[in-house]
Amino acid sequence: MNTVLVIALILAMIATLVALVRGIIAFLQTTKEDLNAPEGSGPSPARLKQNRMMMNRILFQAGAIIIVAILLMAKGHG
């Protein structure tokens, strides 16, 4: 059981890192046109991608924290 949780934790950490890097890359690809766009025009596709990547990062981090909590609880009972 612990082995499966450790593997799941490693995968969650890798997914977090990938989502973080993709979000940073999307942020760096923001153009001057995106920054100077009028406010009423709605979010640009680049901003939507940034938000999606950062939300994925938060979800993967939450999963990793939950897995760590389960591992710690299992360690305390064993």
Side-chain angles (χ1 to χ4, degrees):
M1 171 83 168
N2 280 348
T3 306
V4 172
L5 287 174
V6 169
I7 292 170
L9 177 61
I10 291 170
L11 292 175
M13 290 189 300
I14 291 170
T16 301
L17 181 64
V18 169
L20 175 65
V21 170
R22 288 184 68 192
I24 291 172
I25 290 170
F27 177 74
L28 292 174
Q29 290 176 344
T30 302
T31 62
K32 262 190 173 179
E33 291 81 27
D34 290 335
L35 295 175
N36 295 330
E39 290 298 321
S41 64
S44 68
R47 287 185 184 178
L48 292 174
K49 185 176 181 181
Q50 290 173 23
N51 288 341
R52 189 172 56 250
M53 289 299 106
M54 290 301 122
M55 183 57 92
N56 286 341
R57 179 187 58 83
I58 291 169
L59 292 174
F60 292 137
Q61 275 183 317
I65 290 170
I66 290 170
I67 293 169
V68 168
I70 293 169
L71 282 169
L72 289 174
M73 288 190 318
K75 188 80 161 174
H77 292 296

